[in-house]
Amino acid sequence: MTRPARLTGAALCAALVLTAAVWILKDLAALGSPADLAWYWAGDRFFLARGRAATSLVDPVLLVVSAAAAVAALRSRHAASALAATGAVTLALRLPGLWAPDSGVLVTALLELALAAGLVLVAAAGRRPANAPYEPLPGRPRTGAAVAAGVLLAVAAAAVAGWELYWASRLPAEITVDRFTGGRSVVKAPLGPPPGWLAAVLVALYATAAASAFARARHTRAFGLLAGALLAAHGLAGTAGAARSGILERLADLPEPYRSDALTSLFGLLAGVAVLALLAGRGAPAASPAPYPPAGVLPPPPPHPRPPGW
């Protein structure tokens, strides 16, 4: 990417970080302590009687991801894919805020959607021109690490899709629709996406990252690390909630849905950490550029006058 495009992408990411930080600080003031807010993000609604937080687990994850994308935009060969992945996922997760009844949430959604669209445009239009000095291309992941990460992400996508189909078969049709649109029957944080919508975004992200990993594409690292971060965060939240309520201690005595939910959260935590470890390492060594000129470029003219024996 060009230097102006890198600086623009880093500035847009910094604006996303600042927006999320303002809401998180506001929720800290409402709930009283970081531990209370963390348990709220994990799904514990005991604090609703004292105050309702506007953020969800998605917000701290997007804050960390946006900060990492800002650093990548300035220093990494993976800058374009990092900006594109951050922008695309932010667009998908913030879109339901456009029909939120709260004016503050609506303004935040419009701002973040504009910033995310800017990230995608910068990633697409900020490429270096063909006559620019040579810069190494982003490396591809190693084959073993890519295949292992792809398998874990594919299983995670199937698990999220399976749970959504399970709830669709058990809940009335109007509640199923509300899970995607954020209707009145769904209790959620104002900034958080509806649970069904979030599940659809996660399935699309995990499947895209898995396909990229199997193909060993150059953008695998950006999309895979983002998918791994969301997978690990949701797995950690579910596992912490299950441990706090004693579900893990009596796992064998619980009905099948509760046991499967706890095991899915534990798998998400372990798989997310594994994906982060597999894709954060050094990629495959890049092939050295050919010493010959590109195809179609004529060789330099012979010297004049020509030396003897030319």
Side-chain angles (χ1 to χ4, degrees):
M1 294 185 68
T2 61
R3 186 64 179 173
R6 287 177 178 271
L7 294 175
T8 302
L12 293 174
C13 289
L16 286 174
V17 171
L18 180 62
T19 303
V22 169
W23 280 99
I24 291 174
L25 291 175
K26 181 180 178 182
D27 287 346
L28 279 174
L31 292 183
S33 75
D36 289 352
L37 182 57
W39 281 116
Y40 187 93
W41 288 337
D44 191 340
R45 295 298 182 258
F46 172 75
F47 306 104
L48 284 175
R50 289 162 33 190
R52 183 178 180 183
T55 56
S56 68
L57 184 62
V58 168
D59 295 276
V61 175
L62 287 182
L63 186 150
V64 174
V65 167
S66 300
V71 176
L74 296 175
R75 306 186 59 178
S76 175
R77 290 182 295 173
H78 298 269
S81 55
L83 295 179
T86 303
V89 172
T90 303
L91 277 171
L93 292 176
R94 292 310 189 199
L95 194 60
L98 293 179
W99 54 83
D102 188 290
S103 58
V105 174
L106 176 60
V107 171
T108 300
L110 289 172
L111 175 61
E112 293 195 343
L113 287 173
L115 294 172
L119 287 178
V120 176
L121 291 176
V122 167
R127 296 182 177 182
R128 298 170 65 88
N131 58 353
Y134 174 75
E135 179 179 332
L137 292 174
R140 299 181 185 274
R142 296 183 182 274
T143 303
V147 171
V151 170
L152 292 174
L153 290 171
V155 173
V160 176
W163 273 111
E164 200 56 38
L165 291 174
Y166 170 82
W167 288 119
S169 65
R170 291 300 184 94
L171 297 174
E174 57 272 16
I175 297 181
T176 300
V177 173
D178 286 348
R179 286 176 55 82
F180 286 87
T181 62
R184 295 181 178 180
S185 62
V186 175
V187 178
K188 68 177 189 66
L191 278 177
W197 184 283
L198 176 61
V201 172
L202 292 179
V203 169
L205 175 61
Y206 296 163
T208 301
S212 301
F214 289 138
R216 295 184 63 232
R218 298 188 186 276
H219 58 267
T220 298
R221 186 172 189 175
F223 281 88
L225 290 178
L226 178 52
L230 284 167
L231 179 59
H234 283 89
L236 176 61
T239 303
R244 191 184 195 192
S245 60
I247 290 179
L248 293 181
E249 299 176 359
R250 45 192 176 88
L251 197 60
D253 301 330
L254 293 175
E256 182 60 31
Y258 295 95
R259 182 165 59 249
S260 299
D261 182 54
L263 292 176
T264 301
S265 297
L266 185 59
F267 166 78
L269 173 60
L270 298 177
V273 173
V275 169
L276 293 175
L278 289 169
L279 297 181
R282 188 180 299 273
S288 58
Y292 304 100
V297 177
L298 296 177
H304 183 76
R306 298 183 182 183
W310 181 265

